[in-house]
Amino acid sequence: MSAFTYEVDRTETRNRLTVAFRIILAIPHLILAQAWEYVAQILAVFQWFTVLFTGKRNVALWNLQKSWLAYYARVLGYTALLFDQYPAFATDAGPAPVRTAIEFEESANRLTNALRIIWVIPAAIVSAILGIGVVVVAVVSWFAILFTGRNPPGMGDFIVRALRYQLRTTSYALLMTDTYPKYGSS
């Protein structure tokens, strides 16, 4: 089974000016990512019926969801101050130092997919709590970068791990994988 992987290359010195206005610079990406997320969620409904009746995932639906998830991962990393390179829009990875991966598995467990909306609840709760932590740590990181020009390594590592867990939860909720999300490296 394949879990979503999310890695961000760490940069030592940071651009204080772009960090100061990061949330404003991220607004176009956040709007596009949110609109595209609605499409990915609708595709999950179609994928749910496909898996329920055939026991297999539709590769076209899965690829569209994967494209959104990779873009969303770049947007989250940029917004959470993990890197300074402005991410490219849509499916082009551009200059963002982010690596994402998930393997397509055609066969899917009908029972786990049928009950996914229930089984994802504990992971979604943990993901929400981690999301609050990411916001707090990102705000502290924002001040640290403005004053020192560097993001403390521990803060960046926490944000990467928390975002990885959130992205794994999202891929699980969207029926892209049968692997239950876990908090950890790679």
Side-chain angles (χ1 to χ4, degrees):
M1 291 197 215
S2 174
F4 187 82
T5 60
Y6 178 69
E7 297 296 328
V8 178
D9 295 334
R10 186 165 164 65
T11 53
E12 191 61 33
T13 58
R14 306 298 300 280
N15 184 335
R16 294 177 185 184
L17 183 62
T18 62
V19 168
F21 298 103
R22 181 61 49 94
I23 196 66
I24 294 168
L25 293 171
I27 287 173
H29 282 292
L30 293 170
I31 291 170
L32 178 60
Q34 186 61 53
W36 197 355
E37 182 177 6
Y38 294 138
V39 173
Q41 291 171 349
I42 291 168
L43 294 175
V45 173
F46 290 114
Q47 191 75 280
W48 186 82
F49 282 108
T50 302
V51 170
L52 191 63
F53 293 121
T54 68
K56 297 179 181 180
R57 289 184 180 87
N58 181 295
V59 69
L61 297 176
W62 189 89
N63 282 331
L64 287 169
Q65 291 174 318
K66 179 185 174 193
S67 296
W68 167 76
L69 198 57
Y71 173 66
Y72 186 56
R74 291 189 302 273
V75 170
L76 285 178
Y78 180 74
T79 306
L81 308 173
L82 294 176
F83 56 89
D84 289 334
Q85 295 86 352
Y86 196 73
F89 283 92
T91 59
D92 179 25
V98 175
R99 290 177 308 286
T100 61
I102 186 169
E103 301 274 334
F104 175 73
E105 298 169 350
E106 185 177 37
S107 64
N109 186 319
R110 291 179 181 185
L111 179 62
T112 62
N113 281 271
L115 300 174
R116 185 67 49 96
I117 194 73
I118 295 168
W119 290 4
V120 78
I121 291 171
I125 291 169
V126 171
S127 183
I129 293 168
L130 285 172
I132 292 168
V134 166
V135 170
V136 170
V137 172
V139 169
V140 174
S141 292
W142 185 78
F143 283 108
I145 294 169
L146 286 182
F147 291 123
T148 67
R150 301 180 191 289
N151 191 8
M155 291 183 182
D157 292 343
F158 170 77
I159 291 173
V160 169
R161 284 175 167 247
L163 292 181
R164 182 182 303 126
Y165 183 83
Q166 289 180 322
L167 292 164
R168 285 178 177 174
T169 302
T170 301
S171 67
Y172 183 73
L174 293 176
L175 309 173
M176 295 177 68
T177 181
D178 287 340
T179 303
Y180 200 79
K182 66 176 184 167
Y183 185 84
S185 62
S186 299

